[in-house]
C-alpha cells in the first residue's frame, strides 16, 4: 500500500497565479480530508468528502479556495488567485468508514511570493 | 466547545531518558483518541488509537494511556532516541462525527 499520495511536494508560485494541489487516497478508503498547517494555527480542516461528495466545507477560508473529488481515487484543492497568506503546508488524509484507518499524506508545501 | 489541550508545549530531554506528554480534552461524546508523531516536513503518522473501553495501548517504546473519566491521556516514551525528536499531536474524535479535534502538539527534542 503506497499510502496517501500528494503532489507536488513543493510549489512556489507568484501571487495571483492559480495553484492546484492533488491527492490520491488509499484504495478502499471512502473519506477524504484536506487540511492546512501553519505554525500559528496548527492543523486546520478545510473540507472533507464522503464517497466523493463534499460533506463539510466550513473550513474553506474563502471563495478563492475550491476542492473537487471527481472519483474515489483522486481529489484536487485549487486556489485562485493565490495570495502570500496562503503559504502553508497542505495535507490530504483518507480514512475508511469506521475512521480507524485515518492516514495522512506527506503534504504539499506551498509558498506564494 | 470541543477542545484538546496538550502539555508541555515543548520539551528537551537527553537521549536514553524517558518522558511523558499530556493531553486533556473536552470532546463529547467521546469516540476515540489518537496520538500522532509528526517529523519535520512530513505528515502526521499514527502511533496509537484508543476507544472508550481501552485504558492503555503500546506501540514499541510508545505507551499511551487513557482515563475517560477525567478526560486525560498521556503518551510515555521509553529510552528515547534521537529519532524521537518530532511533534506529538493528540487527536480526539466525537461519536458520530468524522471531524477530528487536534491538539496544538508537543515539540520534543532529544539531545545526544
Amino acid at each position: 500500500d503506497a499510502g496517501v499520495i500528494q503532489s507536488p511536494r513543493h510549489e512556489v508560485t507568484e501571487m495571483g497565479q492559480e495553484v492546484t494541489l492533488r491527492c490520491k487516497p488509499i484504495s478502499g478508503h471512502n473519506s477524504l480530508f484536506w487540511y492546512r498547517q501553519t505554525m500559528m494555527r496548527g492543523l486546520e480542516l478545510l473540507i472533507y468528502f464522503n464517497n466523493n461528495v463534499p460533506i463539510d466545507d466550513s473550513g474553506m477560508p474563502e471563495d478563492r479556495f475550491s476542492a473537487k473529488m471527481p472519483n474515489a481515487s483522486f481529489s484536487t484543492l485549487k486556489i485562485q488567485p493565490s495570495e502570500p497568506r496562503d503559504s502553508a503546508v497542505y495535507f490530504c488524509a483518507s480514512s475508511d468508514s469506521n475512521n480507524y484507518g485515518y492516514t495522512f499524506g506527506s503534504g504539499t508545501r506551498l509558498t506564494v511570493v | 466547545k470541543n477542545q484538546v489541550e496538550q502539555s508541555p508545549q515543548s520539551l528537551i530531554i537527553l537521549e536514553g531518558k524517558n518522558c511523558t506528554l499530556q493531553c486533556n480534552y473536552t470532546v463529547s461524546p467521546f469516540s476515540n483518541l489518537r496520538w500522532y508523531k509528526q517529523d519535520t516536513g512530513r505528515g502526521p503518522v499514527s502511533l496509537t488509537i484508543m476507544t472508550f473501553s481501552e485504558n492503555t495501548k503500546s506501540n514499541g517504546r510508545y505507551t499511551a494511556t487513557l482515563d475517560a473519566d477525567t478526560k486525560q491521556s498521556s503518551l510515555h516514551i521509553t529510552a528515547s532516541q534521537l529519532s524521537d525528536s518530532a511533534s506529538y499531536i493528540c487527536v480526539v474524535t466525537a461519536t458520530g462525527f468524522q471531524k477530528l479535534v487536534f491538539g496544538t502538539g508537543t515539540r520534543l527534542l532529544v539531545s545526544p
Side-chain angles (χ1 to χ4, degrees):
Chain A
D1 185 354
V4 176
I5 300 173
Q6 291 187 246
S7 64
R9 283 301 309 275
H10 303 275
E11 176 80 33
V12 180
T13 190
E14 291 185 344
M15 181 174 63
Q17 296 298 305
E18 177 181 295
V19 176
T20 299
L21 312 181
R22 297 172 175 80
C23 176
K24 176 179 169 54
I26 290 175
S27 177
H29 281 188
N30 62 349
S31 297
L32 183 140
F33 306 79
W34 281 102
Y35 288 88
R36 177 171 66 178
Q37 187 177 40
T38 62
M39 287 292 291
M40 292 295 294
R41 301 171 69 94
L43 273 162
E44 301 174 282
L45 178 65
L46 301 177
I47 185 172
Y48 77 92
F49 297 82
N50 273 357
N51 298 316
N52 312 339
V53 176
I55 301 301
D56 184 347
D57 65 354
S58 59
M60 297 285 262
E62 45 196 277
D63 291 345
R64 298 184 296 106
F65 286 69
S66 62
K68 294 182 179 180
M69 191 164 187
N71 57 62
S73 59
F74 184 66
S75 177
T76 59
L77 177 67
K78 185 176 294 186
I79 308 172
Q80 165 63 17
S82 57
E83 296 182 3
R85 60 193 169 119
D86 301 331
S87 297
V89 181
Y90 291 81
F91 288 103
C92 176
S94 70
S95 74
D96 48 24
S97 56
N98 64 16
N99 220 17
Y100 275 34
Y102 211 104
T103 304
F104 285 84
S106 296
T108 294
R109 180 175 293 278
L110 174 64
T111 303
V112 183
V113 298
Chain B
K1 182 179 178 182
N2 289 333
Q3 285 186 315
V4 177
E5 295 184 351
Q6 293 186 243
S7 63
Q9 277 192 331
S10 61
L11 181 63
I12 303 175
I13 62 173
L14 290 175
E15 185 180 10
K17 297 296 186 182
N18 304 335
C19 67
T20 300
L21 313 181
Q22 301 290 342
C23 173
N24 297 333
Y25 62 92
T26 59
V27 178
S28 182
F30 175 85
S31 175
N32 59 70
L33 183 146
R34 310 161 194 260
W35 283 94
Y36 281 90
K37 178 187 179 188
Q38 185 175 20
D39 293 308
T40 301
R42 311 287 293 183
V45 175
S46 181
L47 295 175
T48 63
I49 178 171
M50 290 181 290
T51 60
F52 184 88
S53 59
E54 297 173 297
N55 55 24
T56 186
K57 185 162 283 188
S58 293
N59 179 357
R61 295 179 296 102
Y62 301 101
T63 299
T65 65
L66 173 65
D67 186 333
D69 291 330
T70 61
K71 298 186 177 181
Q72 295 180 325
S73 176
S74 65
L75 180 69
H76 186 75
I77 304 175
T78 303
S80 61
Q81 300 177 357
L82 298 180
S83 59
D84 293 331
S85 296
S87 289
Y88 291 85
I89 307 171
C90 177
V91 185
V92 183
T93 308
T95 302
F97 293 89
Q98 282 193 287
K99 294 168 72 169
L100 277 56
V101 183
F102 288 83
T104 53
T106 292
R107 186 176 294 273
L108 174 67
L109 176 63
V110 180
S111 176

